[in-house]
């Protein structure tokens, strides 16, 4: 497998964690997002969305969108599971992951901040946009974890005693939150889940600073 | 079941279609998004994200995030399936749905356009933002459908002979695209899938204009 990657891509970071949790190896190829390499024609032929991550399977099939890739890895390599078995519990975990991927990250990624700047705003205004989107979104995510059913309150992960798709979404988003100076003090449950994750080799090895293209 | 709904919410529209495809009924309760009813304390107690849709199950469990709700409905009511069986085919459909939910809709919904206006821009600038996000995002989605494997090219739906999660994401987004004047002429595959969907009662009955709260 080939993972099209970038060290500081929040979405690629999710897939790196999932691959590690499943014990899978991929060749990492890098598109430098700040240099716009993801918009080069050769890469658009791989992923017409012009986004990393993209996972190229052995038969040449290209999978895109980080959460869809994680679900694929979970379906084809069921152990350890990234989702609980109960349909309601699965829905809670997926909702949490989507609350991060769609309501937070999609609204404050590099592409969107470039749109803000194209409206005539400076980097400080773009950073303030990202800060506010992340702070508001994570406050809602803290509530989603606070409201989890008793059965999964044992923690220390977002929804129980083992890490899963929610934690895969959380950890890169908290890394991103710190880049934009978001105060995480009011999010003790998210912080506790993150600490438990970062103690695991699968999460630690996926960290941006541990990637070969880290600057 | 209770569906917290709003006639012109793109995400609620997805859940209405899914419920109809599964032959399920829910009591519709409305939060008027333009009047800010989704931010009232009583509703935040239901969904701390302050978003519709939210689906309240018989036991009081609240499910949020439209794609997570659709997957829950699919897992608990398997017929007709919203996802194919093959893991790669499932990943393609999920990626398409997420490309719409995260890369397009999340970046141009009412909440984000209000952020654009809060930066000092007028409604016309906010509408232009939405137009550009939708036009660029749908062009990538047309490519995702164009690049589908031969086996699913039979159509007329996004990924084969039956409607599924991709079509559930597509139809509300094309409705939304027209509101912002996006030219859909260069997206023949998306247009063909939409036409096939709108001919089905499950999709037609979910249309915004058919809802009790339509204005």
């Amino acid at each position: 497998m080939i993972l099209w990657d970038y060290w500081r891509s929040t979405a690629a970071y999710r897939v790196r964690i999932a691959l590690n949790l499943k014990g899978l190896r991929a060749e990492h190829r890098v598109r430098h997002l700040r240099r716009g390499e993801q918009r080069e024609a050769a890469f658009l032929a791989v992923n017409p969305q012009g986004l990393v991550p993209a996972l190229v399977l052995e038969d040449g099939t290209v999978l895109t969108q980080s959460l869809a890739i994680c679900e694929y890895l979970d379906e084809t390599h069921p152990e350890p599971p990234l989702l609980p078995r109960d349909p309601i519990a699965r829905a809670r975990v997926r909702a949490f992951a989507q609350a991060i991927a769609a309501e937070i990250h999609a609204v404050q990624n590099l592409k969107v901040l470039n749109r803000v700047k194209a409206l005539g705003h400076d980097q400080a205004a773009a950073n303030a946009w990202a800060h506010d989107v992340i702070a508001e979104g994570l406050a809602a995510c803290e509530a989603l974890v606070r409201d989890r059913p008793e059965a999964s309150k044992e923690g220390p992960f977002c929804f129980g005693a083992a890490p899963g798709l929610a934690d895969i979404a959380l950890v890169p988003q908290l890394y991103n939150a710190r880049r934009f100076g978001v105060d995480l003090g009011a999010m003790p449950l998210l912080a506790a889940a993150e600490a438990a994750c970062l103690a695991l080799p699968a999460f630690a090895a996926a960290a941006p600073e541990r990637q070969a293209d880290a600057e």
Side-chain angles (χ1 to χ4, degrees), chain A:
Chain A
M1 289 189 295
I2 296 164
L3 176 65
W4 287 95
D5 197 4
Y6 178 62
W7 69 293
R8 221 154 62 164
S9 159
T10 301
Y13 188 177
R14 295 175 199 142
V15 175
R16 293 196 301 262
I17 298 168
L19 287 167
N20 290 348
L21 283 169
K22 297 294 188 181
L24 298 170
R25 285 187 169 273
E27 176 193 337
H28 290 245
R29 292 193 192 165
V30 170
R31 294 288 85 188
H32 195 297
L33 299 191
R34 292 196 175 271
R35 293 192 198 126
E37 291 179 354
Q38 74 280 16
R39 292 189 297 273
E40 292 174 1
F43 184 68
L44 290 176
V46 175
N47 180 6
Q49 297 164 85
L51 298 170
V52 299
L55 187 69
V56 187
L57 306 182
E58 298 301 332
D59 71 353
T61 297
V62 180
L63 302 184
T64 64
Q65 290 292 328
S66 60
L67 298 184
I69 294 171
C70 289
E71 295 244 13
Y72 167 81
L73 294 174
D74 201 37
E75 290 179 349
T76 52
H77 299 84
E79 295 299 328
L82 303 183
L83 289 167
R85 285 191 165 210
D86 172 66
I88 289 178
R90 292 164 75 83
R92 284 182 188 276
V93 170
R94 285 188 176 123
F96 181 93
Q98 288 166 16
I100 287 182
E103 311 295 340
I104 304 178
H105 180 245
V107 191
Q108 54 84 198
N109 61 22
L110 180 62
K111 199 170 170 181
V112 174
L113 298 189
N114 284 338
R115 283 191 194 279
V116 172
K117 291 198 273 186
L119 287 176
H121 300 283
D122 61 10
Q123 187 64 49
N127 290 351
W129 169 293
H131 175 280
D132 293 352
V133 167
I134 298 170
E136 290 173 29
L138 285 179
C141 288
E142 176 79 8
L144 287 175
V145 173
R146 186 194 63 217
D147 296 346
R148 62 194 166 181
E150 286 301 323
S152 61
K153 278 202 202 300
E154 63 198 62
F157 300 99
C158 284
F159 292 93
L165 193 64
D167 306 284
I168 286 171
L170 175 67
V171 167
Q173 192 60 54
L174 291 186
Y175 173 88
N176 196 349
R178 289 195 187 88
R179 281 180 61 199
F180 290 102
V182 175
D183 176 11
L184 302 175
M187 302 162 194
L189 296 170
L190 300 186
E194 181 196 34
C197 288
L198 292 178
L200 300 175
F203 282 81
E209 293 79 4
R210 294 276 297 274
Q211 306 313 302
D213 58 319
E215 289 165 12

